[in-house]
C-alpha cells in the first residue's frame, strides 16, 4: 500500500500522537470501488470499505443521466485526524461511468502531533466517464495534510476531477485564515502504457511562506481547481466555451482555463473571497464539460433556501 510518510514536506512532523499512534487500527481508512456496465446502466460491482471511510450504496438520482451511479463517500470520524492514513482506489471497467462526491466538506482537524495523508488512485478503462467532485476541504488551525492522486486512463476515457480549498474556518471565533501548518496536494495522470501526461503539485505552508501576497492568493481566500482529462477534440469544444478569463471586482472573483500538456485536456482555476461564488464557477465549468463530453447536462442545483 502506497505511503506518503517520506514526503519531504512532512519531515518536521514525524512525532507520534500521544493518544493513538499513526496508522493504528481505526486510523487506516480504505475504500475500494469498482464499477462496470451492466445492461443499460453502470453498477457498483466491487466494494471494500474499512473505517473511517465508507460508502453505502450507489444511487441513481441524477435526472439528466439516470444511468449514472452516484456514490457518496462518508467518514465516521468527523474529518481527518492526526495519524490518519486514508486510501481510495477507484476502477471503471470499459464503457462504465460514475459520479463520486463526499457527504460534506472534508475537515482537516487541528493537530498537535504528526499529520494526515490521503492516497487516491483512479484507473479508467476504454470509453469510461468519471466525475470526482468532492465538497470543499477545510484545513483547521495547526493541521497538516498531504494528498496524492494518480489517474491512469486511455485517450477514449474522460475524468472530471475537482477540488475546492478553503482558507480554514474563516468565520470561526476570530477567524482562521491560513492558520494551518501544511497543505500539500499533487495530481498526476498517465496512459495505460505508462506514458506520463502531466504532474501538478502545490505545497502551502503559510507560516513559512505567507500566501496573502501578490502572485499567490493576494486578497483571495478560496481556491478552486478542476482538471478535465479527455481527448483533444472534446477538450477543444470545452475550451471554446470557457476560455474567456474572468476578473470580477464586485464579487470578487478571478478565473481562467488553460490547456494541459500532451493533449491531456484542460485545467480550470478560480479564486474568490467566499466559497459560493467559487463553487458556482466550478459548477459552470463542469456543466460545459459534461455537455460536450456526454451530450447531457447537470441537474438543477439544489437550493437550501
Amino acid at each position: 500500500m502506497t505511503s506518503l510518510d517520506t514526503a519531504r514536506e512532512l519531515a518536521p512532523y514525524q512525532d507520534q500522537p500521544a493518544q493513538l499512534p499513526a496508522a493504528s487500527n481505526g486510523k487506516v481508512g480504505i475504500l475500494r470501488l469498482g464499477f462496470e456496465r451492466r445492461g443499460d446502466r453502470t453498477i457498483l460491482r466491487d466494494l471494500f470499505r474499512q473505517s473511517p471511510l465508507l460508502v453505502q450504496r450507489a444511487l441513481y438520482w441524477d435526472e439528466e443521466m439516470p444511468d449514472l451511479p452516484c456514490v457518496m463517500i462518508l467518514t465516521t470520524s468527523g474529518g481527518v485526524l492526526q495519524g490518519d492514513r486514508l486510501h481510495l482506489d477507484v476502477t471503471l471497467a470499459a464503457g462504465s461511468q460514475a459520479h463520486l462526491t463526499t457527504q460534506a466538506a472534508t475537515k482537516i482537524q487541528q493537530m498537535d502531533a504528526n499529520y494526515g495523508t490521503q492516497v487516491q488512485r483512479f484507473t479508467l478503462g476504454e470509453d469510461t466517464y468519471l466525475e470526482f467532485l468532492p465538497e470543499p476541504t477545510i484545513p483547521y488551525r495547526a493541521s497538516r495534510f498531504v494528498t496524492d492522486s494518480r489517474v491512469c486512463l486511455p485517450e477514449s476515457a474522460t475524468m472530471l476531477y475537482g477540488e475546492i480549498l478553503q482558507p480554514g474556518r474563516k468565520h470561526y471565533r476570530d477567524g482562521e485564515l491560513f492558520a494551518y501548518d501544511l497543505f500539500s496536494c499533487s495530481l498526476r495522470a498517465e496512459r495505460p502504457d505508462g506514458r506520463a501526461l502531466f504532474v501538478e503539485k502545490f505545497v502551502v505552508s503559510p507560516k513559512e511562506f505567507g500566501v496573502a501576497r501578490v502572485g499567490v492568493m493576494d486578497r483571495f481566500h478560496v481556491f478552486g481547481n478542476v482538471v478535465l482529462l479527455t481527448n483533444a477534440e472534446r477538450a477543444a469544444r470545452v475550451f471554446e466555451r470557457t476560455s474567456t478569463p474572468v476578473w470580477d471586482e464586485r464579487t470578487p472573483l478571478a478565473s481562467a482555463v488553460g490547456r494541459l500538456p500532451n493533449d491531456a485536456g484542460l485545467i480550470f482555476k478560480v479564486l474568490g473571497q467566499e466559497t459560493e461564488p467559487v463553487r458556482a464557477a466550478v459548477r459552470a465549468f463542469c456543466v460545459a464539460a459534461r455537455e460536450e463530453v456526454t451530450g447531457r447536462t447537470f441537474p438543477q442545483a439544489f437550493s437550501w433556501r
Side-chain angles (χ1 to χ4, degrees), residues 61-116:
W61 49 255
D62 192 316
E63 296 177 350
E64 300 295 336
M65 295 184 69
D67 52 347
L68 178 75
C70 302
V71 175
M72 189 169 291
I73 299 171
L74 307 140
T75 176
T76 60
S77 62
V80 179
L81 309 179
Q82 56 191 28
D84 279 359
R85 304 292 186 263
L86 307 179
H87 302 263
L88 172 63
D89 193 335
V90 180
T91 303
L92 273 70
S96 60
Q97 54 190 9
H99 173 93
L100 301 181
T101 187
T102 54
Q103 97 270 28
T106 298
K107 305 170 186 66
I108 316 299
Q109 300 286 344
Q110 185 170 344
M111 302 176 181
D112 57 26
N114 210 253
Y115 48 85

Side-chain angles (χ1 to χ4, degrees), residues 105-217:
T106 298
K107 305 170 186 66
I108 316 299
Q109 300 286 344
Q110 185 170 344
M111 302 176 181
D112 57 26
N114 210 253
Y115 48 85
T117 67
Q118 175 179 263
V119 174
Q120 300 182 136
R121 299 292 180 260
F122 304 93
T123 305
L124 281 66
E126 295 286 349
D127 300 310
T128 54
Y129 177 75
L130 174 62
E131 295 173 350
F132 180 69
L133 302 173
E135 290 296 308
T137 298
I138 309 174
Y140 287 14
R141 183 186 303 275
S143 63
R144 306 89 178 251
F145 184 64
V146 175
T147 178
D148 177 78
S149 302
R150 301 192 182 191
V151 182
C152 179
L153 79 170
E155 190 174 353
S156 64
T158 294
M159 180 172 182
L160 195 54
Y161 175 101
E163 55 196 353
I164 296 176
L165 177 63
Q166 294 187 355
R169 292 178 290 183
K170 180 175 178 177
H171 303 290
Y172 175 74
R173 295 183 178 175
D174 58 346
E176 287 185 358
L177 283 177
F178 305 112
Y180 52 90
D181 290 342
L182 173 70
F183 186 89
S184 173
C185 179
S186 62
L187 171 66
R188 66 190 66 205
E190 64 181 17
R191 295 298 185 207
D193 62 6
R195 180 166 60 93
L197 296 176
F198 80 95
V199 178
E200 181 187 47
K201 179 172 182 176
F202 58 87
V203 178
V204 188
S205 49
K207 295 178 182 177
E208 295 183 24
F209 187 88
V211 297
R213 60 174 67 184
V214 175
V216 189
M217 292 295 286

Side-chain angles (χ1 to χ4, degrees), residues 222-297:
V222 183
F223 170 61
N225 191 42
V226 185
V227 174
L228 173 63
L229 299 171
T230 195
N231 66 33
E233 181 182 350
R234 295 167 182 159
R237 295 199 302 266
V238 178
F239 185 81
E240 186 176 353
R241 289 180 55 175
T242 62
S243 59
T244 303
V246 172
W247 183 267
D248 179 357
E249 282 285 352
R250 293 173 298 174
T251 303
L253 191 81
S255 67
V257 63
R259 300 181 187 273
L260 291 170
N262 299 306
D263 288 328
L266 304 175
I267 187 165
F268 173 75
K269 296 183 182 294
V270 54
L271 297 173
Q273 284 193 345
E274 300 294 339
T275 302
E276 288 311 310
V278 172
R279 189 197 297 270
V282 166
R283 176 182 169 83
F285 179 83
C286 292
V287 167
R290 183 195 272 197
E291 289 178 349
E292 295 300 333
V293 173
T294 71
R296 313 279 188 89
T297 190

